[in-house]
Amino acid sequence: MNKKLKIGLALSGGGARGLAHLGILKKIEEEKIPIFCISGTSMGAIVGGLYAAFGSVNSVIDLYNSYKISSFFETKKFYKSISSGGLLSLDKAETILKNRLNNLKIEDLKISFTSVAVSLKTSQEVKFKKGDLASAMFASGALPFIFSPIKIDDDLFIDGGLFNVLPIDACFEMGADLVIGVDVSDDHFNNLDEKINIFEMPRIIFNLALNKFKEEKLEELNKKYQEKFLILKPKVSVLKGNDFDKLEEFMFLGEREYLKNKKEIQRFLNI
């Protein structure tokens, strides 16, 4: 591999399924593949941002295991959730991570990083390339109806997956020559039946829009960056998007996907 080659890593959203990104990152570390930049949406932004900050999978795992997921979220009373745009608040999680990261800025990360969110003020995709890391990560992961939008400056932001669930383009914008994309987003709804939980509906509706925009983005990428990106798709559908207690299982699925495509990755990176 040309040591001057700049390799980007684009991580998709997908709820707890985004934990599979850590399995991919583990194998990349073991193969000593240098990562020039990382872009992420939703859970991909959180995993990618933490990896860009710490520079090691084990450090991200240690942080993840030091908290119970339930301790990150604040459930709101019904009347309050109506006025604030979501059933749960990410304020507590944002504060916890800001403290753990010592209010780290994106521009001070060890690895170049971009977090993708959607502005409610402009109805446009926003790529955070500077500013507070924790705020940018959670802005990218504020799933509509479930989480209240994240306020940054004079704007409110929601999950970037609505417009760009797999932000491969963000890596090229940061200067990457080649990009490995990892897609753990929901493509299909094979497990649906007539008894759909009301709390599943926001995710289902969101993913219908997500998939449409993803197809359009991939068409654009193929025209502009043909053969310069490779997409891995860990088989994460065997687990649920809210299985946050199954870190090891998700990591295994990520590692398995990497190993299955190892020769293709080596060919792609010329190693």
Side-chain angles (χ1 to χ4, degrees), residues 73-238:
F73 306 135
E74 294 177 304
T75 307
K76 300 176 181 178
K77 291 182 179 179
F78 182 69
Y79 69 87
K80 190 174 181 181
S81 66
I82 292 176
S83 62
S84 61
L87 295 171
L88 301 172
S89 170
L90 288 168
D91 291 347
K92 186 176 180 181
E94 187 179 352
T95 299
I96 290 172
L97 268 193
K98 280 185 177 183
N99 291 334
R100 286 294 296 265
L101 296 170
N102 294 316
N103 296 306
L104 185 62
K105 303 291 184 183
I106 294 174
E107 52 267 40
D108 296 327
L109 291 171
K110 297 177 181 179
I111 301 172
S112 297
F113 175 70
T114 296
S115 174
V116 178
V118 173
S119 162
L120 291 183
K121 187 176 183 179
T122 65
S123 300
Q124 298 294 317
E125 173 186 339
V126 174
K127 294 184 175 84
F128 288 102
K129 299 179 181 180
K130 62 180 182 178
D132 185 79
L133 175 62
S135 296
M137 291 191 301
F138 285 117
S140 181
L143 183 65
F145 307 114
I146 301 299
F147 297 115
S148 298
I150 296 294
K151 189 176 189 305
I152 298 177
D153 297 328
D154 61 344
D155 203 347
L156 293 172
F157 296 91
I158 60 172
D159 198 308
L162 181 62
F163 290 167
N164 195 355
V165 71
L166 182 59
I168 290 172
D169 58 328
C171 281
F172 286 119
E173 290 171 10
M174 285 186 281
D177 298 308
L178 299 173
V179 178
I180 297 174
V182 186
D183 187 5
V184 295
S185 61
D186 288 338
D187 282 322
H188 305 289
F189 305 103
N190 297 328
N191 298 323
L192 295 182
D193 55 36
E194 294 180 1
K195 297 180 180 179
I196 300 174
N197 187 312
I198 189 172
F199 294 107
E200 283 287 291
M201 284 305 297
R203 181 185 67 83
I204 293 169
I205 294 170
F206 183 80
N207 282 329
L208 288 172
L210 175 157
N211 289 328
K212 180 180 184 297
F213 282 113
K214 182 167 69 173
E215 291 173 4
E216 293 176 356
K217 278 281 185 182
L218 286 176
E219 286 181 12
E220 292 176 12
L221 287 167
N222 279 317
K223 291 177 183 177
K224 193 171 182 180
Y225 301 109
Q226 192 173 20
E227 297 183 358
K228 290 187 177 181
F229 66 92
L230 174 69
I231 297 177
L232 305 178
K233 292 178 69 80
K235 302 299 185 288
V236 291
S237 60
V238 295

Side-chain angles (χ1 to χ4, degrees), residues 16-17 19-20 23 234-236 238-239 243-256:
R17 290 169 174 162
L19 295 172
K235 302 299 185 288
V236 291
V238 295
L239 297 172
D243 282 337
F244 287 98
D245 60 336
K246 295 183 178 178
L247 173 61
E248 291 183 5
E249 291 93 325
F250 278 120
M251 284 191 65
F252 169 78
L253 294 173
E255 291 179 56
R256 186 173 69 178

